[in-house]
Amino acid sequence: MSSSKLGRSTAIVSYITILGCLIAITMNMEPKHAFARFHARQAFGTHLIYHSLAIYLNLTNVDNVMVWGVLWVVYLGAILYGFVGAFNNREGLLPGLGAKFQKWFTFIP
């Protein structure tokens, strides 16, 4: 069994809400798998950006349905892109910030 297949379940869990991402990070503490680490960083960055923007939009009282719709569609698209990649044993960077997530979140084991 390759190392990517060993970390596959952890990688998939990381895309299931931000709580799932935190669980996946702890799951990858002892048997460290590069595949799971890659997807945990991508998922953590995606969840962090989405929740940060959502909090900002709430605090600034943005009630525009179009803005919220675009935010939700981009978030859902990024999560699905990463989830399908993890399910298919692929390490594909998310378009845009994927490479930055790998650099910024080096604290994720």
Side-chain angles (χ1 to χ4, degrees):
M1 205 176 230
S2 72
S3 111
S4 67
K5 290 186 181 182
L6 290 174
R8 182 177 174 205
S9 61
T10 305
I12 290 172
V13 167
S14 67
Y15 290 102
I16 303 171
T17 73
I18 194 154
L19 182 60
C21 185
L22 297 174
I23 291 170
I25 290 169
T26 59
M27 285 173 60
N28 199 38
M29 287 288 198
E30 183 48 40
K32 296 183 185 204
H33 303 291
F35 183 75
R37 178 177 48 244
F38 174 85
H39 282 285
R41 289 176 180 170
Q42 296 292 297
F44 184 74
T46 302
H47 292 302
L48 187 68
I49 294 289
Y50 169 75
H51 289 290
S52 298
L53 288 173
I55 290 169
Y56 174 76
L57 290 175
N58 271 326
L59 290 176
T60 57
N61 294 324
V62 173
D63 292 331
N64 190 338
V65 175
M66 185 74 89
V67 172
W68 283 100
V70 168
L71 179 62
W72 177 249
V73 167
V74 170
Y75 174 65
L76 187 62
I79 290 297
L80 287 175
Y81 180 82
F83 182 84
V84 169
F87 189 78
N88 291 327
N89 291 322
R90 287 189 328 231
E91 288 185 4
L93 291 171
L94 290 169
L97 293 174
K100 297 287 187 190
F101 291 160
Q102 294 301 316
K103 281 194 211 174
W104 291 340
F105 304 124
T106 56
F107 62 87
I108 295 176

